[in-house]
């Protein structure tokens, strides 16, 4: 799957997060073709282990719209969400999830617990993987390589 403007913005957020010393993952919430919120990882900045890009973007979108859920909204994220974020995406009633690279070590959508396939999951978004996966994986690889050098 090729990219689009929303995934491009998520990649920009990922790069910006990396420049701040955060793990370079970015997320964008879109409703009716309009960007409602975008964020990178902010766990270090906020000293908040739950401030993954997806949750940060969902919080911002809910605040912007003044509502608890994001029914009908789509979320673009550069890496397969972890289990915590997969659950938050479900609770927020996100309609479609587009993610870039797969994360066999930490993902919770198509890897690990496969949250949306569980009987305890009451809302599953449509999932589209592989959008801009090469770029998303490259940003992560560059970041972790830089850490080791
Ligand atoms: Zn997460």
């Amino acid at each position: 799957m090729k990219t689009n403007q929303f995934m491009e913005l998520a990649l920009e957020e990922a790069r910006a997060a990396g420049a701040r010393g955060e793990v370079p993952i970015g997320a964008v919430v879109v409703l009716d073709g309009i960007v409602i919120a975008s964020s990178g990882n902010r766990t270090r900045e906020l000293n908040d282990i739950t401030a993954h890009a997806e949750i940060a973007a969902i919080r911002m979108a809910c605040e912007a719209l003044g509502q608890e859920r994001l029914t009908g909204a789509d979320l673009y994220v550069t890496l397969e969400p972890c289990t915590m974020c997969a659950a938050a995406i479900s609770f927020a009633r996100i309609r479609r999830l587009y993610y870039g690279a797969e994360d066999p070590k930490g993902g919770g959508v198509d890897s690990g617990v496969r949250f949306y396939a569980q009987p305890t999951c009451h809302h599953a978004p449509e999932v589209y993987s592989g959008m801009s996966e090469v770029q998303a994986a490259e940003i992560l690889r560059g970041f972790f390589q830089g850490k080791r050098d």
Side-chain angles (χ1 to χ4, degrees):
M1 191 188 287
K2 54 189 205 301
T3 191
N4 75 3
Q5 56 175 323
F6 304 123
M7 188 57 88
E8 285 296 326
L9 180 56
L11 290 166
E12 269 176 44
E13 288 284 0
R15 288 187 198 100
R20 296 193 304 269
E22 306 272 3
V23 175
I25 297 166
V28 174
V29 176
V30 176
L31 181 62
D32 298 329
I34 295 165
V35 174
I36 306 296
S38 70
S39 181
N41 263 343
R42 299 178 67 192
T43 59
R44 295 184 62 176
E45 175 194 341
L46 301 176
N47 290 324
D48 178 1
I49 205 62
T50 69
H52 285 187
E54 301 94 313
I55 289 181
I58 286 170
R59 281 199 181 118
M60 287 169 66
C62 287
E63 200 173 311
L65 296 172
Q67 58 191 48
E68 179 186 15
R69 297 194 178 92
L70 298 170
T71 307
D74 301 333
L75 189 137
Y76 293 77
V77 58
T78 55
L79 186 69
E80 178 184 351
C82 72
T83 306
M84 173 180 73
C85 291
I89 287 164
S90 167
F91 298 157
R93 301 288 191 272
I94 294 285
R95 178 180 63 169
R96 293 186 187 128
L97 165 66
Y98 297 85
Y99 75 78
E102 280 195 6
D103 185 7
K105 286 185 185 161
V109 175
D110 293 313
S111 312
V113 303
R114 295 183 168 81
F115 185 81
Y116 303 135
Q118 302 306 318
T120 49
C121 172
H122 305 299
H123 169 84
E126 292 171 35
V127 177
Y128 302 91
S129 61
M131 185 184 274
S132 298
E133 62 182 327
V134 174
Q135 295 94 315
E138 197 59 45
I139 291 169
L140 279 160
R141 198 157 37 237
F143 179 81
F144 287 111
Q145 243 160 31
K147 291 256 160 199
R148 280 197 298 273
D149 292 342

